[in-house]
């Protein structure tokens, strides 16, 4: 029983594991290690201004984006803490060109964005670490393409750590979505958001409106149809867009809402990455009762074609995402 002092993340993960007598405890240990990495990144993010680690490194990453000093720091922490855990055989990072194979081996593969939203770092905007965990499928120690290029529906766990007004760890291992808030005084994540649901009203609408000149016609059609819910009597849905996916997603998960970064003329394949951003958040959205699509099919059914596969993303309350699919379908008739 949680008692009055709350349930820690470690205890919650163990309790979930105990529902599966066949489990060896390795996934639980891995999730716990990701939580530890999150604490370390959180402490550096909170101290960034004092440690002199704000600003860019002057480098450009594999995505063609400016690498912030904190991006590098978060990547190092993930490699040291998660890579050094003995639990993963391969690490796929938004910040690294190639797959990092771990010699000590392990039964899991992890894909992650070490610091999503990092272009906002210097302005103290919420940012976060997003992760996605798969089982190693092939026997033996060799890491194969089948191990690393799995569809989102094969994920065994996914989550994110949001460095915001407080640090929050949200995860799913296929049995609902649970959120924990870091109590910095004791260094533990405490259950604060049990069984989060995304099946109520869609109150927030998140999109970078300045991409409007590049959108396909269906996006304009979709927005107009969503906005029809606002009438003279009542505003039922309101614009909320941070420009930090993990923070936009978290707010929409808590309040109800939909986030969209569709493919457009500037980014014909989409801007966001399937493996590190879209797929883990899609797993969480579906576990909470929501949905994620590229406009045509579920994100979780997309076959990764390459490590840094990009995709359009519409994610949040199911009716609004399905309405987007309907608009895409009509546009292609
Ligand atoms: P990042 O992983 O380098 O931070 O890039 C992803 C970010 C998302 O967090 C955010 O939704 C998007 O890029 C914002 O892009 P834009 O500035 O084009 O709206
Ligand atoms: Mg990102």
């Amino acid at each position: 029983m949680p008692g009055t002092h709350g349930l820690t993340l470690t205890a919650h993960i163990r309790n979930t594991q105990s529902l599966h007598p066949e489990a060896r405890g390795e996934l639980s240990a891995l999730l716990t290690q990701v939580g530890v990495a999150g604490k370390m990144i959180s402490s550096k993010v909170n101290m960034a201004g004092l440690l002199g680690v704000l600003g860019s490194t002057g480098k450009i990453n594999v995505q063609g984006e400016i690498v912030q000093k904190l991006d590098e720091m978060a990547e190092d922490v993930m490699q040291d803490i998660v890579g050094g855990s003995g639990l993963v055989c391969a690490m796929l990072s938004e910040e690294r060109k190639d797959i990092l194979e771990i010699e000590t081996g392990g039964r899991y593969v992890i894909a992650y964005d070490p610091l999503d939203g990092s272009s906002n770092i210097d302005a103290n905007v919420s940012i976060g670490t997003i992760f996605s965990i798969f089982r190693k499928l092939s026997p033996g120690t060799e890491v194969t393409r089948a191990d690393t290029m799995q569809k989102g529906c094969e994920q065994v766990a996914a989550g994110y750590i949001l460095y915001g007004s407080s640090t929050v760890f949200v995860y799913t291992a296929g049995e609902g979505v649970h959120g924990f808030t870091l109590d910095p005084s004791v260094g533990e994540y405490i259950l604060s958001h049990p069984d989060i649901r995304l099946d109520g009203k869609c109150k927030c609408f998140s999109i970078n409106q300045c991409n409007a000149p590049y959108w396909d016609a269906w996006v304009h059609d979709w927005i107009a149809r969503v906005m029809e819910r606002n009438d003279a009597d009542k505003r039922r849905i309101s614009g909320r867009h941070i420009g930090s996916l993990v923070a936009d997603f978290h707010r929409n998960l808590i309040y109800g809402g939909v986030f969209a970064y569709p493919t457009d003329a500037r980014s014909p394949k989409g801007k966001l990455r399937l493996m590190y951003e879209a797929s883990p958040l899609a797993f969480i959205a579906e576990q909470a009762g929501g949905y994620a699509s590229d406009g045509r099919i579920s994100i979780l059914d997309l076959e990764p074609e390459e490590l840094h596969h990009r995709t359009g993303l519409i994610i949040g309350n199911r009716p609004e995402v399905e309405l987007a699919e309907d608009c895409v379908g009509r546009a292609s008739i």
Side-chain angles (χ1 to χ4, degrees):
M1 288 293 289
T4 51
H5 294 99
L7 189 67
T8 65
L9 173 65
T10 314
H12 188 274
I13 292 171
R14 276 215 203 99
N15 291 351
T16 307
Q17 184 204 325
S18 67
L19 302 172
H20 302 272
E22 74 291 353
R24 297 195 215 164
E26 290 173 35
L27 179 61
S28 301
L30 177 53
L31 285 166
T32 304
Q33 284 306 102
V34 174
V36 172
K39 286 184 209 174
M40 290 188 179
I41 297 170
S42 174
S43 95
K44 300 240 196 299
V45 166
N46 287 337
M47 296 284 286
L50 300 171
L51 297 176
V53 289
L54 290 178
S56 84
T57 58
K59 298 178 202 161
I60 302 291
N61 70 8
V62 59
Q63 316 289 342
E65 293 161 354
I66 297 165
V67 179
Q68 306 292 330
K69 290 178 190 165
L70 280 172
D71 282 325
E72 273 192 351
M73 176 282 302
E75 173 62 29
D76 288 349
V77 170
M78 289 297 282
Q79 280 187 33
D80 289 351
I81 304 301
V82 180
S85 67
L87 298 162
V88 293
C89 61
M91 302 180 79
L92 286 56
S93 169
E94 187 189 297
E95 290 297 324
R96 247 195 346 269
K97 184 165 168 279
D98 300 311
I99 295 169
L100 179 67
E101 289 190 28
I102 308 293
E103 278 180 18
T104 49
R107 295 171 63 221
Y108 293 96
V109 170
I110 187 165
Y112 57 96
D113 179 351
L115 213 48
D116 179 62
S118 58
S119 66
N120 295 295
I121 286 172
D122 291 1
N124 269 27
V125 169
S126 298
I127 50 182
T129 302
I130 310 175
F131 64 92
S132 167
I133 298 174
F134 297 90
R135 258 187 211 96
K136 181 180 188 315
L137 297 177
S138 64
T141 52
E142 195 194 340
V143 176
T144 67
R145 185 179 164 86
D147 296 327
T148 53
M149 295 286 106
Q150 299 187 51
K151 289 201 263 188
C153 56
E154 305 297 337
Q155 290 174 96
V156 291
Y160 57 83
I161 306 124
L162 181 70
Y163 314 112
S165 48
S166 51
T167 294
V168 180
F169 184 107
V170 174
Y171 88 103
T172 183
E175 276 152 17
V177 179
H178 310 285
F180 300 79
T181 301
L182 181 64
D183 178 345
S185 65
V186 291
E188 285 287 355
Y189 297 99
I190 308 294
L191 183 63
S192 50
H193 299 76
D195 198 17
I196 302 172
R197 300 299 302 163
L198 185 51
D199 48 13
K201 288 184 180 152
C202 177
K203 297 181 188 154
C204 306
F205 191 83
S206 322
I207 197 163
N208 186 342
Q209 193 76 36
C210 293
N211 286 333
Y214 319 114
W215 288 336
D216 291 336
W218 74 261
V219 184
H220 297 276
D221 178 30
W222 175 56
I223 294 175
R225 289 174 70 186
V226 172
M227 293 312 143
E228 279 169 10
R229 289 181 31 218
N230 287 350
D231 53 34
D233 295 334
K234 194 162 174 153
R235 188 181 77 181
R236 295 180 177 82
I237 188 160
S238 189
R240 293 286 184 273
H241 182 254
I242 297 167
S244 170
L245 170 67
V246 65
D248 278 308
F249 177 79
H250 182 70
R251 183 207 49 244
N252 293 354
L253 184 66
I254 300 300
Y255 296 153
V258 64
F259 170 95
Y261 206 125
T263 56
D264 61 32
R266 281 177 77 232
S267 313
K269 292 185 168 178
K271 152 124 195 207
L272 299 170
R273 274 65 38 148
L274 177 62
M275 308 287 284
Y276 322 116
E277 294 164 326
S279 196
L281 298 185
F283 188 22
I284 295 169
E286 290 214 4
Q287 279 292 312
Y291 180 45
S293 170
D294 69 349
R296 297 169 301 111
I297 64 166
S298 166
I299 290 290
L300 297 181
D301 290 331
L302 281 177
E303 190 95 47
E305 288 160 11
E306 52 174 323
L307 196 52
H308 300 291
H309 184 133
R310 291 180 189 253
T311 180
L313 174 67
I314 302 106
I315 187 167
N317 291 71
R318 183 172 275 277
E320 281 69 20
V321 180
E322 286 181 342
L323 182 61
E325 287 182 333
D326 185 50
C327 292
V328 174
R330 283 166 183 242
S332 56
I333 293 171

